[in-house]
Structures are given as C-alpha cells and as structure tokens.
C-alpha cells in the first residue's frame, strides 16, 4: 500500500493523515469547495476538490471519490467515520475498481451494519438481547401486537440507522402509531431505508461498548470497553474508558460477546459492539459499528495501541501485532467533543475563529482540524476538536479535563466548553452514577 485516499474531512481525516505519515504512506485528501482551507486539505501530500459544499455532491458522491482515487493513483481508501464509512455499496465499488477499502468486506458490512440483520447474527453468536421484534415491523398492527407482548415503554429504532437518528421512545399504546410513522419517515430520509424494529426500553441504562480489532487470518482481539452514557438525544457527548462499574472479569465477559459476534462472520478490521447495561450489570446487544469510532482515542490512551495504524496494517494483509494477552488497561481516559454550538440551546454556531489556543501538558491530547483564523462552515457536523485526557484514576482524569477545558481558547464563535465544565462538576457524574438519561434528569437538556 503506497498511497491512501481519505474519503472524509475534519479531525478524522487529519488523524488518518498522521497515521499514514508514520507508516511512510502517501496521503490524498479530498475536500469540498467549502473546505478548501480546512487543515486536512493542507496537511495531506495531495489534495483534490471533488465538488460543492453539499455532502451528497462531494463527500457522499461516490463517482467523484473513485475518480479522485484513480487520478491520484491511490491504491486504498480509508473512509473514516460517518459519510460512506458503513456503505457496503461503496466498499463493493472500491473492490471492483481494485482499490483496497480499509475496513470490513461489503458482505460483513451488510451482515452487521443493518440493525435487523445484525440481530440475527448476534442471536446465532449467543449474545444477550432485550425483548424485541426479531424482524422489521411491517405495519402498525404488527407494531401494536409486538409492543403489547414486550410491555411498555418500548423504543422504535431504524434498521439502517445510527447517531441517534430514527429513534422514538413510546410509553403508551396511544402514542405508538404516530411514533411508528415518524420513525419510518426519519429512517427513510436519513438512511434510505424505512425499516424499523422495536425493543424493550430500559429507563436507566449505561451505554457500554467494546472495541475490537481483527485481521484477515482469524485473529480477533477486544481492547476493553468505553462508557458512552453521557448523551444528548442519543448522541454521545462525553466518552470514557474504562467503565467505572466493571472489573476485569466482567470486562472479559462482555468482550467475549463482541469477539463471538465478529467470529460469526469472519470479520476483519476495526469494529465496535454496543451494549446497554442495567443496574445489575446485565448487558444487552444493541448494534455493531463496522468502522472506527469518534471516541476511539480513549481506547488508544488506556491500551497504548494505535487503532488507525492497526486498521491500515490489517487492510494490507498483516497479522495483528498484539494478542489478547498483550492488551492491558492502564489508567483512565475521558474525551469531550468540542462543538461549535451554543452551550445552552445547542444551536450550531458557525463563524470565524478569531483566537485559538489548545491546552497541553502530560496526559492531554487534542484531535482537531481548526486553527486561528479558520472559518467554521455551516454545512457539516459541528464538532471542531476532541479533547482527550488520561490519568492514573478517574478522579484525576476528571480534574485534568476541567483544567484543560479552562485552558482551551476558541474565540469568535460559541462552543460547548462551558457545558462540559458543568457536566464534569455535577455530583452524579463525579460519583459515576450517570446513565443515558443523566443530562435530561440533571436539567442540562429539556
């Protein structure tokens, strides 16, 4: 592998460029007209404009991306996260064009990327489930019948969804029909797939996910868990590793579920298996993400394993350079997503950054793509940087994150830094008593 085209933008594109440099591999950045001054377009060895600001005419425009790969002579494509990262059709086109797709095969993506199909695979692999429909809900009558059997509250989820979209919680049967129709419409608009399924809704769960890495030679390793329970409207806001509730035995038990799921389809590449965990530490399979995650740095920090580098090496056909016994959890890491948004209303806040200074020091990492004078554009996700801190204990990591957030300067626009500081100082978060409903119950979200 001599040259990798990065089919993405922003901080993840910068992260991949850095991994390529360390491996001695040339990088090609694609960018929209709106991103001409983005850091990823400046750092790559080559940069190619592939269209206007609108995502479907640039970062989602497969013909333009393939053409950019062919013109630049790239022999591989890294999709990052979001955009086309879990698009099996894109991975298939790459294969037909003799371009290595840095990720799982199209077949594996179809088996695990769509929620209903993934649940079928997970059942075969013996993973635990919340009560729910075994297939897509065909009509409202089936939805009502399933909901009565499961018992309220229930949650409707888009089969092809992710990122908190296409989800509706229903507490009584009178509200089910409207929620069902709305969920299908949202799913169709967001993912081009209107299928939804239904499952029991846990009122106070923790969101725990297991990072796996697998090569093409049958080696599959889990790298511990991340706790992603601090969420706003099902969107992760703060992530940490490890989960403060789990010991090593419990970690390995959940990790074994994730490995079993990957083995069921002969998976290779990076992947994340997501679970809900109740108060008794019982876990229930939710879904699998067949890509690198936004929150992957916290796993890197506590294991010392470069996940993006591993992705590239696996795609090149190399065996994993580590075994399960080599994976050791050291310390505690927390990640805050720094967004260009109002810290109270969460409304996006694009504009020119008139002053920028990121924090530093031992155990502080900043993954971003903005700089002094950069203009935040309104066309894409509002995340600017990820601030990651690592310390010996969770208590010290929280304190280190507070210090780093107070040191972070982003002027000219509004960011959610004040929001993060309030969350970190809340007693429930400090004591590790938070759940996916924490932000609502603590009054941060109305």
């Amino acid at each position: 592998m001599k040259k990798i085209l990065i089919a993405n933008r922003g901080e993840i594109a910068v992260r991949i460029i850095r991994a390529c440099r360390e491996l001695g591999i040339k990088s090609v950045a694609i960018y929209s007209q709106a991103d001409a001054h983005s850091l990823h377009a400046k750092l790559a060895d080559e940069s190619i404009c592939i269209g206007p600001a609108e995502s479907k005419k640039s970062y989602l425009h497969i013909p333009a991306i393939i053409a950019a790969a062919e013109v630049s002579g790239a022999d591989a494509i890294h999709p990052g996260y979001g955009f086309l990262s879990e698009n099996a059709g894109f991975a298939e086109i790459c294969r037909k064009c003799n371009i290595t797709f840095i990720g799982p095969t199209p077949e594996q993506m179809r088996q695990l990327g769509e929620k209903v199909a993934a649940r079928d695979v997970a059942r075969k692999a013996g993973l635990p489930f919340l009560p729910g429909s075994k297939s897509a809900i065909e009509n409202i009558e089936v939805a009502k019948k399933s909901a009565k059997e499961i018992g309220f509250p229930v949650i409707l989820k888009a089969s092809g969804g992710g990122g908190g979209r296409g989800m509706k919680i229903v507490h009584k049967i009178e509200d089910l029909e409207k929620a069902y129709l709305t969920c299908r419409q949202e799913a169709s608009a967001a993912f081009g797939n209107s299928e939804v399924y239904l499952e029991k809704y846990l009122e106070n769960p923790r969101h725990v996910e297991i990072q796996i890495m697998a090569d093409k030679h049958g080696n599959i390793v889990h790298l511990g868990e991340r706790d992603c329970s601090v969420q706003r409207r099902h969107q992760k806001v703060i992530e940490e590793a490890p989960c403060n509730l789990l010991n090593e035995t419990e970690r390995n038990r959940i990790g074994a579920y994730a490995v079993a799921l990957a083995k069921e389809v002969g998976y290779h590449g990076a992947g994340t298996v997501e679970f809900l965990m109740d108060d008794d530490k019982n876990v229930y399979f939710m879904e699998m993400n067949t890509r690198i995650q936004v929150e992957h740095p916290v796993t890197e920090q506590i294991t010392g394993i470069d996940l993006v580098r591993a992705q590239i090496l696996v795609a090149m056909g190399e065996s994993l350079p580590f075994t399960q016994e080599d994976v050791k959890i050291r310390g505690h890491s927390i990640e805050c997503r720094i967004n260009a948004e109002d810290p109270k209303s969460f409304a996006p806040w694009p504009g020119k950054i008139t002053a920028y200074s990121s924090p530093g020091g031992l155990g502080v990492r900043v993954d971003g793509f903005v700089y002094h004078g950069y203009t935040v554009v309104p066309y894409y996700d509002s995340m600017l940087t990820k601030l990651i801190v690592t310390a010996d204990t969770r208590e010290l990591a929280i304190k280190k994150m507070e210090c780093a957030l107070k040191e972070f300067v982003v002027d000219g626009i509004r960011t959610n830094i004040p929001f993060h500081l309030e969350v970190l100082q809340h007693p429930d978060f400090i004591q590790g008593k938070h759940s996916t409903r924490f932000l609502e119950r603590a009054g941060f979200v109305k």
Side-chain angles (χ1 to χ4, degrees):
M1 197 176 290
K2 297 179 180 178
K3 188 181 288 188
I4 295 175
L5 181 138
I6 300 149
N8 217 296
R9 66 179 297 276
E11 71 85 17
I12 189 60
V14 171
R15 173 73 180 85
I16 297 164
I17 290 167
R18 289 172 174 156
C20 288
R21 284 181 172 178
E22 291 176 14
L23 288 165
I25 298 171
K26 296 290 186 181
S27 60
V28 181
I30 58 170
Y31 64 93
S32 70
Q33 291 171 359
D35 271 340
H37 300 290
S38 186
L39 187 59
H40 80 283
K42 295 176 179 290
L43 286 182
D45 295 298
E46 299 175 43
S47 296
I48 299 174
C49 182
I50 58 164
E54 194 175 355
S55 293
K56 69 180 182 180
K57 295 179 180 179
S58 52
Y59 298 109
L60 292 173
H61 192 210
I62 294 175
I65 295 170
I66 295 297
E70 292 179 341
V71 167
S72 64
D75 48 11
I77 289 179
H78 196 307
Y81 55 72
F83 291 128
L84 296 168
S85 62
E86 293 182 286
N87 188 309
F90 178 54
E92 200 157 39
I93 290 170
C94 289
R95 184 164 62 186
K96 289 178 179 177
C97 294
N98 295 317
I99 299 169
T100 300
F101 180 84
I102 299 177
T105 66
E107 294 77 17
Q108 292 164 355
M109 293 171 74
R110 290 191 177 98
Q111 287 176 292
L112 297 171
E114 291 189 1
K115 306 301 182 289
V116 172
R119 287 163 71 86
D120 289 339
V121 175
R123 282 192 181 88
K124 292 177 184 176
L127 273 66
F129 281 88
L130 283 167
S133 57
K134 292 185 178 181
S135 59
I137 300 292
E138 297 175 1
N139 54 56
I140 185 59
E141 296 307 319
V142 174
K144 289 179 179 178
K145 181 180 178 182
S146 296
K148 287 177 182 178
E149 291 173 353
I150 295 166
F152 289 92
V154 296
I155 184 167
L156 289 157
K157 294 183 178 181
S159 178
R165 291 173 293 178
M167 299 173 67
K168 295 292 177 186
I169 301 163
V170 185
H171 290 273
K172 52 188 180 180
I173 198 162
E174 292 82 3
D175 299 331
L176 185 61
E177 184 168 0
K178 180 180 178 181
Y180 172 73
L181 295 173
T182 302
C183 193
R184 282 180 61 92
Q185 290 170 355
E186 289 182 2
S188 179
F191 313 112
N193 179 356
S194 63
E195 286 189 349
V196 300
Y197 65 97
L198 187 149
E199 68 182 18
K200 181 70 176 178
Y201 178 68
L202 288 181
E203 292 281 6
N204 197 44
R206 292 289 274 263
H207 182 136
V208 176
E209 60 187 33
I210 297 286
Q211 175 71 57
I212 66 159
M213 185 64 70
D215 62 28
K216 297 179 181 179
H217 308 284
N219 302 304
I220 307 174
V221 173
H222 78 80
L223 291 93
E225 83 284 359
R226 297 185 286 258
D227 188 326
C228 305
S229 301
V230 181
Q231 301 178 5
R232 183 177 72 86
R233 296 177 182 171
H234 308 293
Q235 292 259 0
K236 299 166 187 174
V237 178
I238 297 174
E239 301 97 350
E240 55 185 312
C243 174
N244 68 292
L245 297 180
L246 298 178
N247 58 37
E248 187 174 359
T249 299
E250 292 161 339
R251 174 175 303 116
N252 288 330
R253 173 176 60 87
I254 304 171
Y257 286 138
V259 170
L261 179 65
K263 280 184 177 177
E264 190 67 30
V265 299
Y267 190 85
H268 70 256
T272 298
V273 186
E274 305 198 359
F275 299 89
L276 288 178
M277 184 170 73
D278 65 20
D279 293 335
D280 297 318
K281 299 185 186 179
N282 298 309
V283 295
Y284 307 96
F285 172 73
M286 278 202 304
E287 63 186 32
M288 180 171 180
N289 291 307
T290 57
R291 52 171 167 80
I292 198 76
Q293 295 274 93
V294 174
E295 59 271 20
H296 76 272
V298 293
T299 297
E300 293 182 325
Q301 294 300 115
I302 63 166
T303 62
I305 294 172
D306 186 326
L307 294 174
V308 177
R309 177 188 176 94
Q311 276 189 297
I312 295 170
L313 294 177
V314 163
M316 293 170 67
E318 295 193 21
S319 298
L320 290 180
F322 50 85
T323 65
Q324 191 64 65
E325 290 69 32
D326 294 327
V327 179
K328 306 296 182 185
I329 306 299
R330 297 181 179 88
H332 197 93
S333 187
I334 301 175
E335 173 181 294
C336 288
R337 302 186 185 194
I338 309 301
N339 299 338
E341 62 186 20
D342 184 272
K344 294 294 184 183
S345 69
F346 304 107
W349 209 274
K352 186 175 181 178
I353 296 175
T354 56
Y356 181 87
S357 178
S358 60
L362 182 65
V364 177
R365 169 178 169 179
V366 179
D367 284 16
F369 70 102
V370 299
Y371 49 86
H372 174 86
Y374 175 78
T375 298
V376 180
V377 296
Y379 311 106
Y380 313 111
D381 186 271
S382 62
M383 189 172 71
L384 303 177
T385 63
K386 301 181 309 198
L387 177 58
I388 307 105
V389 302
T390 311
D392 290 339
T393 66
R394 184 174 187 269
E395 181 182 18
L396 288 173
I398 292 173
K399 184 58 64 177
K400 188 182 287 285
M401 180 62 83
E402 284 186 42
C403 294
L405 286 166
K406 289 175 182 177
E407 190 180 327
F408 216 143
V409 176
V410 187
D411 288 344
I413 61 170
R414 295 182 186 178
T415 73
N416 61 347
I417 289 175
F419 162 79
H420 282 300
L421 282 167
E422 286 190 53
V423 172
L424 289 170
Q425 293 164 359
H426 194 281
D428 285 352
F429 182 82
I430 292 171
Q431 295 168 26
K433 295 180 179 179
H434 55 289
S435 72
T436 57
R437 300 287 302 280
F438 162 60
L439 293 182
E440 296 170 43
R441 291 177 174 172
F444 291 105
V445 178
K446 295 179 180 179

